[in-house]
Each structure stands twice: as structure tokens, then as C-alpha cells.
Amino acid sequence: MASTDTKAKTDDLAGLEAGLDALDAVQTHRTPVREVLTKKVLPPLLAVALVLVVWQILVTAKVTDETKLPAPSAVWDSLSDMWLKGTLLEVIWTSVSRGLLGFLLALAIGTPLGLLVARVKFVRAAIGPILQGLQSLPSVAWVPPAVLWFGLNDAMMYTVILLGAVPSIANGLVSGIDQIPPLFLRAGRTLGATGLRGARHVVMPAALPGYLAGLKQGWAFSWRSLMAAEIIASSPDLGLGLGQLLENGRNNIDLPGVFLAILLILVVGIAIDLLIFSPVERWVLRSRGLLVKS
């Protein structure tokens, strides 16, 4: 009888252990391509199609004058014209290259600044409120002083981008570090991970989710800051970017061109998020067992 009870308890423990192992074993297999297309590609395409249908209905019903709401076909004609002239990709690349380079510079400055603010109490008390204030300041406010400091050149553009993006990146890292369980930091110090070694092997990996959120917000601020600078500080010496394209459309009373510039700015912002930040975010979640399927 005793052996039977012992065997039953052993089986129960084995079953419990197997159940816990099943909970820990997070499946990370790739989602089939068909499912990806159905769940992730098709919905936004349907949304875009719906917007175009509603847009065309409003134009056909003459809800407003065509000088205020151009037809989708007119915007398409502007796009085709730029493509045939060979200027479309050049205009897009001018802004994208500026935005990405400015974001990388902001990343190089904002990351050590965030670490310093988060780990040094005096620096946090002195600079922390300033970073919060800078993050809430509209990027367009930096364009006039940047023009006076540097003139109409790329240095002015990058200055506006940095002042808009660095606070977001630094504050995102600070927020991520604040959410690290104290036990992790104590364990790291016990194992000898202090100073730069602790920041590399303990602090940064543990703060990665918050840091990534700050990076996404930093890119958004970089792109918005760049567009504000290109719209206000328009000059032939700067080349034709998307912001200048939008401003040129306004000056020429070319509403299809204005709508085209707005759509291109929107598409580029979404594309950068989908191609760069979304895969990195999925990788972080998957590595932490927070994403069952990719």
C-alpha cells in the first residue's frame, strides 16, 4: 500500500514538472507566410482601399471644391509625373538619409546621456527636468535659432533633429532603467558586474524594452523635426526633400502635390517603423518569452 502511495506521489510530481516545463517552453516557430499575409498585410491594405473609396466618393459627390480636395487620380498623376522625371526617389532619399543620420547621431548622444541621468542622482536632479521639458517642446521652435546659428545648411537640419530626438531617447532609457527590479542590479554587483561592465551586461539588457520604446519615439521626433526644418528653412542649397516638396506645393497652389508630399511623408514614417523597429521589437519580445508567434 505504501509503495502504491509513493508511486502515485511520484507520478503526480512528474506530471507537475512536465506541466511546468510545458509552460516554460514558449513556442517561437515562424508564422506561415499565408497567415502573415492574411493577418498583417491584408488588414492595412483593406484600410487603405477603404480610405481611397471614401475619398473618391467625396470627390464624386462634390462635397467640396476640387481646389480643396483633389481627386485620388490627380495625386496619382503627380506621383507618376515625378517618377517619369526621375525625381521621386531622389526627393525621398534626401529626407530619409538626413533623418536616419540624424537619428543615429541622436542615438549616440542620447544613450550615454540616459545612462548618466539614470545612474547618477546629482545629474538626474540637475538634467532630468530639463530633458522632460525639452521633450515636450515642439521641434519647430528650434528651427529659427538653428537657422541663425548655422544658416541654411545641413548642420541646421541635424541640430533640429538632435534637439528633438535626444531627449526622447534619453528619457526612454531612463524609464527602462527605473523599471529594472533591484534584485537584478544587486545580483549583478554580487557577480562583479559594476561600472561599464554592469551597464553593458545587466542594466542595458534589463532596460531594453523601455529603451526600445524610447528609440521608436526618438525616430518619430527625428522625422517630425526634419519635416519642420525642411518646410520652414527651404533653400535650393539644401536640395529637394519631402518637406520642401510640401512647401513648394503650397507656394505653387498645387494641392495634388501637397497631398502627394503628405502621403509620402506618412508612408516613409510607417515603412521605417515596419522595416526596422517592428522586427527588433518582435525579437526582444520573443527572446524574453513574451511572443508566442512571430
Side-chain angles (χ1 to χ4, degrees):
M1 184 68 178
S3 61
T4 303
D5 293 340
T6 302
K7 183 179 180 181
K9 291 180 179 179
T10 302
D11 292 340
D12 291 341
L13 290 175
L16 178 61
E17 184 178 357
L20 293 175
D21 290 340
L23 289 175
D24 290 336
V26 179
Q27 298 180 5
T28 59
H29 61 274
R30 293 283 180 180
T31 305
V33 176
R34 182 177 180 181
E35 186 176 347
V36 172
L37 293 175
T38 303
K39 294 184 176 181
K40 296 184 179 181
V41 178
L42 186 58
L45 290 179
L46 291 176
V48 171
L50 179 61
V51 171
L52 291 176
V53 169
V54 174
W55 184 358
Q56 185 61 52
I57 290 174
L58 293 175
V59 172
T60 304
K62 297 183 178 180
V63 175
T64 185
D65 192 271
E66 289 188 2
T67 58
K68 297 181 179 179
L69 182 64
S73 59
V75 179
W76 176 259
D77 290 340
S78 295
L79 178 66
S80 301
D81 184 58
M82 290 190 65
W83 176 261
L84 293 175
K85 290 179 179 178
T87 58
L88 179 62
L89 296 181
E90 181 181 352
V91 170
I92 294 175
W93 177 244
T94 297
S95 293
V96 170
S97 59
R98 282 177 183 158
L100 290 177
L101 180 56
F103 173 74
L104 292 177
L105 292 174
L107 179 64
I109 297 173
T111 300
L113 180 61
L115 278 172
L116 190 64
V117 171
R119 303 301 292 165
V120 181
K121 292 183 178 180
F122 175 78
V123 176
R124 183 170 194 153
I127 301 180
I130 298 176
L131 287 177
Q132 292 291 342
L134 289 175
Q135 186 173 353
S136 63
L137 183 67
S139 303
V140 68
W142 290 113
V143 178
V147 171
L148 294 176
W149 292 336
F150 302 103
L152 295 176
N153 51 39
D154 285 335
M156 177 274 298
M157 296 282 186
Y158 293 128
T159 300
V160 175
I161 293 174
L162 290 176
L163 290 171
V166 168
S168 296
I169 296 175
N171 285 329
L173 182 55
V174 171
S175 177
I177 294 175
D178 288 344
Q179 297 175 26
I180 299 176
L183 180 61
F184 287 9
L185 301 177
R186 290 198 296 268
R189 286 194 295 268
T190 301
L191 296 174
T194 58
L196 293 177
R197 183 180 298 177
R200 176 184 175 185
H201 295 287
V202 179
V203 175
M204 289 300 295
L208 193 55
Y211 180 47
L212 181 58
L215 293 182
K216 293 180 68 174
Q217 192 176 50
W219 162 251
F221 273 83
S222 296
W223 191 238
R224 289 164 53 185
S225 301
L226 175 61
M227 291 302 103
E230 287 186 350
I231 290 172
I232 296 177
S234 179
S235 170
D237 297 334
L238 293 172
L240 183 62
L242 292 174
Q244 290 98 326
L245 181 67
L246 178 61
E247 180 65 10
N248 290 345
R250 184 189 70 85
N251 292 332
N252 297 328
I253 317 179
D254 178 16
L255 199 58
V258 169
F259 270 72
L260 174 61
I262 293 173
L263 291 175
L264 290 176
I265 293 170
L266 179 63
V267 167
V268 169
I270 294 174
I272 294 296
D273 181 74
L274 291 178
L275 296 176
I276 298 178
F277 293 106
S278 291
V280 173
E281 186 176 23
R282 288 197 300 270
W283 173 79
V284 171
L285 294 176
R286 191 183 303 116
S287 64
R288 293 166 183 260
L290 300 175
L291 187 66
V292 176
K293 292 184 179 181
S294 60

